[in-house]
Amino acid sequence: MAEEEVHRTKTQARAGATPHVVRYILAISLALVILAYVVILLI
């Protein structure tokens, strides 16, 4: 007896939406590191 294939969308497979919070965290962290580096160089 063959089982039927299950076809799901990406959202269904992840069981919800995918927020882009990680991008914002990475961007803010990168900006803070650059700012800290500049401050250290100027001191």
Side-chain angles (χ1 to χ4, degrees), residues 1-28:
M1 180 159 115
E3 294 183 21
E4 293 184 28
E5 291 185 21
V6 177
H7 296 280
R8 298 193 186 270
T9 63
K10 291 179 184 179
T11 303
Q12 289 174 333
R14 291 189 195 111
T18 55
H20 300 288
V21 177
V22 175
R23 288 185 196 173
Y24 299 129
I25 292 173
L26 289 175
I28 292 169

Side-chain angles (χ1 to χ4, degrees), residues 1 3 9 14-15 17 19 23 27 30 32-33 35-37 39 42:
M1 180 159 115
E3 294 183 21
T9 63
R14 291 189 195 111
R23 288 185 196 173
L30 180 61
L32 289 174
V33 166
L35 180 65
Y37 185 71
V39 168
L42 292 176

